Amino acid sequence: MKRLFSILAITLMVAFGTANATTIANTSTAVTTVATMTQDDAPAAELSFHQNLKKRFIEGGAGFMGIVLLCLILGLAIAIERIIFLNLSTTNTKKLSQSVEDALASGGIEAAKEVCRNTKGPIASIYYQGLDRTDEGIEAAEKAVVAYGGVQMGQLEKNVSWISLFIALAPMLGFMGTVIGMIQAFDKIEAAGDMQPSLVAGGIKVALLTTVFGLVVAIILQIFYNYIIAKIDSIVNDMEDASITLMDLLIRHKK
């Protein structure tokens, strides 16, 4: 539930930031318009990036463009939550292994378990599970480490599939908007009974805008997705190395 609330909070923050940016863009547009009207012969000012982006968004149609924007907001919210979680899950494996080894030498299993309890991250949790099964033998400790490692891997990969869904969904929605825009263009041609460029241009413009916006959203989310996957792979490799190190420590301690 805490992660669900954090995702919702991040989503609201991103949505509020988008709305705030739109409000600022509207205010800037109004100020620019007033300033232009006060100058008789001054040329019209060029639109800024945010103003041009807002204009293109409106021209693309609120229906599909709004859905694609929602995919971007939700995808970014989940990506940010995953990045924060993965950064908090990163542990200095060498330092933890050394601390556990020193605790085993000085205070035994209970001291090593206390070190793991005071350390955050999946590697410390795996160490704790292995140490907790030491009394049952090395094989039981190894099985506990492997089983709990799979659980921790599932926690690391949680909600990542939603990001890949939004990556695939955004371009498809854009292409759907493209098809609908082309259909509307041909409907206008059929109703007019004449092939006029002005009739076709509007529908094709809407079609291209939805496609571009969907591709941009997919590209942005793909960058975050690849970073998250790379981070997960790095943590999983550390978990595997730490598991081997723990088994070596337990074998030496038994001797």
Side-chain angles (χ1 to χ4, degrees), residues 12-30:
L12 292 175
M13 290 172 62
V14 175
F16 178 76
T18 305
N20 191 24
T22 304
T23 304
I24 294 173
N26 291 335
T27 306
S28 301
T29 305

Side-chain angles (χ1 to χ4, degrees), residues 56-57 59-60 65 204-214:
R56 299 299 183 185
F57 182 86
E59 289 177 349
M65 298 289 271
I204 295 178
K205 184 178 182 180
V206 172
L208 295 178
L209 286 174
T210 54
T211 302
V212 169
F213 196 68

